[in-house]
């Protein structure tokens, strides 16, 4: 029965020359709902609908719908993907709560008496990064955009020397860490601007949060040395005074 359905669909594919092919990218934030649209118009003359899903993590899976027999084969239950409505209305799929594992390539094929329609859909799952700004070692400020997808971009104001590193995680998210060196900047406050498709953020940090300046350290050393010298002089003076008293006796 299934095999017959497949050959009849193939037979029509061969005899018809029209082939419509569409490529799109859909960006959606993790945790939201998404509709994966195949063809905008109702399919009155469709014979077979095939969705092939190749997510980044889980193995690929296929969803079939044979219009003639009204048989639907869906082997993607674990991925929480469902048909959006009844097939007479649309061949679209739906994901109620998008997870990072849904990120990947989707393709929809419709074989109909009017021709073969093919659509490739790239589903890009967006994850907002967790953003922090804190004082680092050696008079630096560190701005982090943790586990965002895609990688966030970090800018500093006022512009200054900084080093930015990206760390790619196995789930496809990226942590961006930028270290700003205050050394040559006489500014009291520095701003970190984190740009991301899910929304941008500006954080600021005051210079006084970083550790002691070299001048301060120098003064501390001088102060300690002078104090030591004073104590030594006092001891010598005391001993000398004691000895003088002793010899007087
Ligand atoms: C801070 O400076 C010291 C001495 O120059 C160096 O050994 C250390 O690695 C630096 N720390 C960082 C986090 O750059
Ligand atoms: C992705 O992996 C990173 C590092 O292991 C983790 O911090 C982050 O929470 C993960 N993101 C999701 C959405 O699972
Ligand atoms: C210095 O930084 C601290 C935060 O660590 C802040 O509470 C304080 O107001 C700052 N002081 C001055 C004088 O800017």
């Amino acid at each position: 029965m299934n095999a017959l359905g497949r050959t009849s669909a193939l037979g029509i594919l061969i005899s018809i020359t029209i082939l419509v092919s569409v490529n799109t990218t859909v960006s959606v934030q993790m945790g939201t709902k998404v509709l994966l649209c195949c063809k905008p118009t109702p399919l009155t003359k469709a014979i077979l609908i095939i969705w092939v899903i190749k997510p980044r993590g889980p193995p690929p899976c296929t969803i079939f719908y044979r219009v003639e027999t009204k048989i639907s084969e869906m082997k993607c239950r674990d991925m929480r993907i469902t048909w959006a409505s009844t097939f007479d209305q649309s061949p679209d799929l739906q994901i109620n709560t998008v997870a990072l594992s849904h990120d990947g390539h989707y393709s929809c094929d419709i074989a109909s008496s009017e021709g073969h329609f093919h659509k490739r859909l790239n589903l890009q799952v967006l994850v907002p990064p967790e953003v922090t700004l804190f004082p680092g070692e050696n008079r630096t400020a560190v701005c982090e955009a943790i586990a965002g997808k895609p990688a966030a971009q970090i800018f500093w104001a006022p512009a200054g020397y900084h080093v930015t590193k990206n760390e790619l995680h196995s789930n496809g998210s990226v942590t961006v860490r930028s270290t700003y060196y205050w050394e040559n900047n006489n500014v009291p406050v520095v701003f970190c601007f984190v740009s991301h498709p899910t929304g941008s953020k500006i954080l600021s940090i005051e210079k006084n949060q970083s550790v002691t300046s070299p001048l301060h350290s120098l003064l501390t050393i001088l102060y300690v040395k002078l104090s030591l010298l004073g104590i030594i002089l006092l001891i010598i003076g005391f001993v000398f005074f004691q000895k003088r008293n002793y010899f007087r006796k």
Side-chain angles (χ1 to χ4, degrees):
M1 185 82 171
N2 286 355
L4 266 176
R6 210 166 288 179
T7 37
S8 75
L10 280 176
I12 277 149
L13 288 187
I14 292 158
S15 66
I16 282 167
T17 47
I18 313 156
L19 185 118
V20 187
S21 188
V22 182
N23 281 335
T24 52
T25 295
V26 174
S27 293
V28 63
Q29 191 162 333
M30 192 176 77
T32 59
K33 178 178 170 172
V34 70
L35 189 68
L36 303 169
C37 297
C38 180
K39 204 168 185 262
T41 52
L43 343 122
T44 42
K45 289 163 187 164
I47 293 159
L48 183 67
I49 303 164
I50 308 170
W51 276 93
V52 178
I53 303 168
K54 289 176 184 160
R56 180 189 290 273
C61 70
T62 311
I63 301 172
F64 284 99
Y65 180 69
R66 281 171 237 285
V67 179
E68 202 182 11
T69 56
K70 292 194 172 10
I71 291 172
S72 166
E73 283 177 47
M74 188 181 288
K75 287 160 186 166
C76 306
R77 289 242 169 83
D78 55 319
M79 287 187 65
R80 286 158 288 149
I81 296 173
T82 57
W83 292 104
S85 61
T86 57
F87 311 105
D88 321 347
Q89 283 158 21
S90 86
D92 301 344
L93 292 183
Q94 172 180 304
I95 307 173
N96 269 323
T97 312
V98 175
L100 203 42
S101 57
H102 287 124
D103 193 275
H105 299 285
Y106 294 68
S107 75
C108 169
D109 283 89
I110 299 173
S112 77
S113 55
E114 288 167 347
H116 177 204
F117 176 85
H118 176 76
K119 182 174 182 178
R120 271 150 55 99
L121 204 146
N122 180 26
L123 182 68
Q124 193 191 23
V125 178
L126 307 175
V127 185
E130 194 188 308
V131 178
T132 57
L133 175 61
F134 54 90
E137 273 181 50
N138 300 345
R139 286 161 55 72
T140 60
V142 181
C143 189
E144 281 184 344
I146 302 159
K149 190 176 169 300
Q153 281 185 293
I154 296 181
F155 305 95
W156 292 94
Y161 178 69
H162 60 273
V163 175
T164 304
K165 282 177 183 154
N166 287 19
E167 185 194 340
L168 179 67
H169 304 297
S170 56
N171 59 18
S173 68
V174 182
T175 292
V176 183
R177 189 173 290 109
S178 186
T179 308
Y180 181 93
Y181 294 80
W182 307 88
E183 217 60 52
N184 307 315
N185 270 354
N186 277 326
V187 286
V189 177
V190 73
F191 294 91
C192 161
F193 177 67
V194 180
S195 168
H196 196 264
T198 60
S200 299
K201 278 194 183 117
I202 299 179
L203 301 176
S204 71
I205 191 167
E206 285 181 36
K207 198 172 194 168
N208 84 332
Q209 290 188 7
S210 46
V211 267
T212 52
S213 69
L215 180 64
H216 186 202
S217 314
L218 187 69
L219 287 177
T220 310
I221 291 166
L222 269 177
Y223 177 77
V224 170
K225 283 195 172 164
L226 283 177
S227 317
L228 273 175
L229 194 66
I231 290 166
I232 290 166
L233 282 175
L234 258 177
I235 293 169
I236 290 172
F238 182 74
V239 168
F240 183 75
F241 182 75
Q242 290 283 2
K243 276 193 177 166
R244 219 172 60 164
N245 277 355
Y246 177 79
F247 284 120
R248 270 196 186 166
K249 280 180 188 171

